[in-house]
Amino acid sequence: MRYFTRKIVFFLATLWAAITLNFIIPRLQPGDPAEVMVQKLAGKDAQLNPAAVEAMRAMLGAPEGSLFEQYIAYLKALSQGDFGISYTYYPYPVTEVIGQALPWTLVLVGVTQILAFVIGVTLGAYAAWRRNTRFDSIVTLGSTFLGTLPSFWIALLLLFVFGYTTGWFPTGGGYSSTSPGLNVAFLGDAAYHSLLPALSLLISAPIGWILGMRNTMIMNLGEDYIRLAKAKGLPDRVVALRYAARNALLPSVTGFAIALGGVLGGSILVEKIYDYPGMGRLMDEAIGNRDFPLLQALLLFIIVGVLLANLIADLLYGVLDPRVRRAES
């Protein structure tokens, strides 16, 4: 019980620190959102009118007062679920803007992360069990090579080949002229548009799981309990799955939970390349437009998602591995 209580208290303290940093960091960014919007309306080379800037600042509801007063107002609004109005998508609330982008990212990045984890741990476990064979060499060297390729470069290459050259897939967007809705036509169109972004993420995403699972399982294969299981005459399949792979999978639980928590942030570069209407593209727009309310809400979503996923992983780790609870007590 002490182990679980300590983890929950640590989660709450970290959450408060994250919320505070989430308030401070966007305000350290140079530039005034009101000036940015007025400059866009007036033209790139036009001289800014101070009265127009003040009017824009009042229209956007920019925070006033000292930094401490803004912090107290921020906490009060946060407790009420009020993230303010988006500067980029004025006059829509931040919650509505995020609500439209969140499902796209959850489907795209969430599905690819789950597939990457399953594929990665499976290939890594089998490569470890068949270590020093041709399969192990192909998987290890292939993963090492693909790991050097950034995801945005893979996305640009796939877009050029399958989007512009062959024309097999659309070059951007989340859907075409189909009206959004829960119908077969729209879901099929959305899936068709998401194939290239998903493939861009899925090519490099399993690599960390493959190498991590392989290395951990090889270490476990040298343990005494593996030799004992073999000495008892257990089949190789049972030794590999129930003994070696099961224990090697435990360190990957925390990493997988954090990866799922980070899904809320999307993939900024890949979503921008494909003009995919997800959280990553939304964050890129918020940074470029100095949209503090939207940027703060997006960062908070990501932080809370990662912290919750980490908490769940710690609690689950304590359930799966009793040694953790005994060590804590």
Side-chain angles (χ1 to χ4, degrees), residues 32 34-35 38 47-59:
D32 186 350
E35 292 182 359
V38 171
Q47 187 175 2
L48 289 178
N49 185 347
V53 174
E54 289 299 324
M56 180 64 71
R57 189 177 288 113
M59 184 182 70

Side-chain angles (χ1 to χ4, degrees), residues 242-262:
R242 297 188 59 184
Y243 288 83
R246 181 179 179 182
N247 286 282
L249 189 62
L250 287 175
S252 299
V253 171
T254 303
F256 179 57
I258 295 176
L260 284 182

Side-chain angles (χ1 to χ4, degrees), residues 166-206:
T166 64
W168 292 350
F169 296 96
T171 58
Y175 59 94
S176 55
S177 58
T178 308
S179 299
L182 295 178
N183 53 74
V184 177
F186 173 73
L187 294 178
D189 187 36
Y192 178 56
H193 279 73
S194 65
L195 284 177
L196 278 186
L199 185 60
S200 302
L201 296 172
L202 199 55
I203 287 177
S204 59

Side-chain angles (χ1 to χ4, degrees), residues 203-218:
I203 287 177
S204 59
I207 294 171
W209 307 117
I210 292 174
L211 299 178
M213 184 68 180
R214 178 188 179 276
N215 295 337
T216 306
M217 187 167 171
I218 288 178

